[in-house]
Amino acid sequence: MIKINLYDPATDETKHYEQSRISFGELKKVLKFNKMQQEDAASLKILNTKMDNGKALTSAEEKKYVELSGKDDVYLNVMEELVASLFKNPKVTVQSIDDGLESDGMSTLSDILADAMGGVESDTNHPAKK
């Protein structure tokens, strides 16, 4: 089960949404995103290790390093779209996520994606219950 709390500025209320079932197709999208993130992190680590060992990066490696270093906004956009698609509720949209999550929203989105992959925390520790 996945859960999210979204503040609605129009009503000045925080609404709680739950989705008990994640389809296999949606799970595949989450896993594909997770794989992309892990591959990018591994590539960045390899390039960092090379630089830490005093070796110069080639032009192609420099370009790749800059590209990988600036991907947080790409990840955030994909995470928002994924989370919105997981909730089969028309009130959970990218816009409502933008408006309704606190500044630690990236962490909340990561937790929801982890829950969707089966890493559900106990209800007392879940960020939507805090």
Side-chain angles (χ1 to χ4, degrees), residues 78-97:
V78 173
M79 289 169 72
E80 280 185 308
E81 291 170 11
L82 275 172
V83 168
S85 73
L86 292 174
F87 286 90
K88 303 304 181 203
N89 187 315
K91 293 185 179 184
V92 181
T93 64
V94 170
Q95 186 62 51
S96 69
I97 291 170

